[in-house]
Amino acid sequence: MPADDPAAELIALYDAAGHQVGVAVRGEVYARSLWHASAGVVLRSGDGARVYVHRRSEAKLVMPGMHDCIAGGVVGPGETPEGTAVRELGEELGVRDVPLTPLVSASWESGPGPGLGGPEGLRTHLFAFEARWDGPVVHQPSEVSAGWWMPLSELRARLADPGWPFAPDSRVLVETWLGRRAGPWVRS
């Protein structure tokens, strides 16, 4: 596989309990529905009233073209979820050197479906953080095709529509965050 092939990227393997247990290439992890972890950041305006929503690139290996409000990705070998979140926020949205606040975490199994990996879907330990930012947002075109600020009230309304094409793993995290609001880490 070419070096720039996302399916060839090495990522950390996890067990069902959430412990790092090894390393495999992303394509194998998705094809065999292996447990892994992903982490990302909900980017909010400085006053907290708006959330940055984006549309995932059609080139993404999973959930292409869906809406999302978490800049994130898979945890790499030796990375922590927070380290992944920092890296992904910089890569996807060009936002760097901002403090992160833990929001929620959850273990999630998607089940089979189009754009969701192997025969049993995705099996992921999800970690979400929050950052506040009023500066410029610069998309990585291979990851993000468009983006905009959305009032938090509108995001709540959109998420109430199960037909809105929103990344299902992010939906789990954001709905948990919006529903509970208290406590830094929530395990589902």
Side-chain angles (χ1 to χ4, degrees):
M1 288 187 227
D4 61 351
D5 179 359
E9 178 186 6
L10 289 176
I11 65 174
L13 287 179
Y14 280 66
D15 63 18
H19 303 102
Q20 279 195 30
V21 296
V23 174
V25 296
R26 183 193 297 249
E28 177 185 4
V29 171
Y30 291 168
R32 295 182 46 213
S33 300
L34 300 175
W35 277 101
H36 60 289
S38 66
V41 179
V42 174
L43 186 62
R44 294 178 71 186
S45 56
D47 64 5
R50 296 174 297 136
V51 174
Y52 197 80
V53 176
H54 64 275
R55 186 169 173 126
R56 296 166 60 90
S57 161
E58 291 292 339
K60 298 285 278 184
L61 291 176
V62 295
M63 299 173 251
M66 293 188 154
H67 294 93
D68 206 339
C69 70
I70 293 182
V74 295
V75 175
E79 264 188 328
T80 64
E82 185 171 7
T84 299
V86 167
R87 175 177 53 79
E88 291 289 342
L89 182 60
E91 288 175 3
E92 290 186 12
L93 301 181
V95 177
R96 292 176 174 77
D97 302 319
V98 296
L100 300 183
T101 302
L103 286 180
V104 297
S105 68
S107 297
W108 177 69
E109 294 184 66
S110 69
L116 294 174
E120 295 167 40
L122 295 174
R123 292 182 169 148
T124 313
H125 299 287
L126 306 167
F127 299 89
F129 299 83
E130 174 185 309
R132 300 286 179 108
W133 179 254
D134 287 319
V137 175
V138 180
H139 301 151
Q140 180 182 32
S142 64
E143 301 268 351
V144 177
S145 62
W148 56 95
W149 289 100
M150 181 179 285
L152 193 53
S153 59
E154 183 179 341
L155 178 61
R156 285 179 189 272
R158 294 278 185 124
L159 289 171
D161 175 3
W164 189 43
F166 194 82
D169 57 342
S170 293
R171 184 182 290 271
V172 167
L173 289 172
V174 173
E175 288 177 346
T176 301
W177 165 59
L178 292 174
R180 298 199 183 151
R181 300 287 236 162
W185 291 108
V186 177
R187 290 297 282 179
S188 307

